[in-house]
Amino acid sequence: MAAPLPTLSEGAVTIRPIRVRDARALERELLDNRSWLSRWEATSPYGPTEFDVKYSIRNLLAHARAGQGIPFAIEVDGEFAGQLNVSGITFGSLASATLGYWVSERFAGRGATPTAVALATDHCFFTLGLHRMEICIRPENSASLRVVEKLGFRYEGLRRRYIHIDGDWRDHFCFALVVEEVRQGVLRRWLDDRVPALNAEIPEADWRAAGVKRS
């Protein structure tokens, strides 16, 4: 079953289905933000590979047609600002998916990322009927850690050498929500300042295990 490809907005932030014609804007943002993004980008353990922006978009759209993902473009005031991908969509007894995202440096700190994540999570819970949403973040990525803290994603543990990022297998902190925790919606809970304190708190032992000082 193919997942719907909605357009969702809150204030200046919109998430919409990415399109092949976004390739030029996407490539420009990726090139202009190399130093901002390269530390967090997935790589191949088998060696360097060529990156074709149009092929990447078409691949994301193919997964969407198969019902396995929802590839969003993030816009701020109508300007292309980044990407958010819902991947690994599974229905049935698991009913879960994973979220990944990035925004250009010039949009950082403007609430675009937590708004986009909240919109996508609410769509997955209340329109698709999923039960659990997961976000995995490198311990060094303080900006992404602030997103899950703002939205109240619950910390679930350290995954050792979990994803190949920036040329090596990297540890990740795992966060999740289930729909019973956010009956009013992730976005509404955040905007109403009702996010439970310390939901995303990471134990000191896990910071030590990851070899990263708490930022």
Side-chain angles (χ1 to χ4, degrees):
M1 179 178 64
L5 298 180
T7 295
L8 308 165
S9 297
E10 172 64 31
V13 179
T14 295
I15 58 173
R16 59 159 177 82
I18 199 162
R19 305 176 291 241
V20 174
R21 63 178 178 270
D22 290 318
R24 182 175 295 179
L26 173 56
E27 186 169 32
R28 182 175 61 248
E29 295 303 324
L30 291 173
L31 290 173
D32 289 349
N33 287 269
R34 292 311 300 147
S35 60
W36 172 252
L37 297 173
S38 61
R39 290 185 66 198
W40 322 119
E41 290 179 348
T43 47
S44 170
Y46 307 107
T49 58
E50 298 243 348
F51 183 70
D52 183 318
V53 174
K54 286 187 177 180
Y55 172 81
S56 174
I57 294 173
R58 290 190 179 106
N59 189 51
L60 289 170
L61 292 173
H63 280 84
R65 288 191 295 272
Q68 299 168 350
I70 311 176
F72 288 107
I74 302 172
E75 293 182 343
V76 177
D77 290 324
E79 187 176 356
F80 191 98
Q83 286 180 274
L84 184 150
N85 291 317
V86 180
S87 61
I89 293 176
T90 304
F91 292 96
S93 57
L94 187 57
S96 72
T98 298
L99 280 165
Y101 50 83
W102 65 268
V103 295
S104 299
E105 186 173 12
R106 70 183 184 279
F107 295 104
R110 294 173 56 179
T113 308
T115 302
V117 170
L119 286 167
T121 303
D122 285 347
H123 174 74
C124 289
F125 279 155
F126 304 116
T127 300
L128 294 189
L130 297 183
H131 179 251
R132 181 178 182 275
M133 298 297 292
E134 177 178 286
I135 298 175
C136 293
I137 301 170
R138 282 188 60 182
E140 301 88 350
N141 193 341
S142 56
S144 277
L145 291 174
R146 284 193 293 273
V147 171
V148 293
E149 181 180 0
K150 286 179 181 179
L151 297 180
F153 274 72
R154 176 176 29 76
Y155 181 66
E156 290 198 333
L158 172 64
R159 294 188 177 177
R160 302 309 305 264
R161 297 178 63 79
Y162 178 54
I163 304 175
H164 203 271
I165 301 283
D166 192 25
D168 202 357
W169 294 103
R170 309 291 183 177
D171 292 349
H172 282 66
F173 290 146
C174 177
F175 303 83
L177 281 174
V178 295
V179 70
E180 291 89 349
E181 296 174 274
V182 284
R183 293 295 191 187
Q184 72 275 50
V186 178
L187 181 65
R188 191 74 266 153
R189 186 177 72 166
W190 175 47
L191 295 179
D192 290 347
D193 197 25
R194 288 187 283 139
V195 174
L198 305 180
N199 252 24
E201 183 72 11
I202 300 161
E204 189 61 40
D206 284 1
W207 284 107
R208 289 197 302 270
V212 176
K213 289 186 177 180
R214 187 190 298 264
S215 58

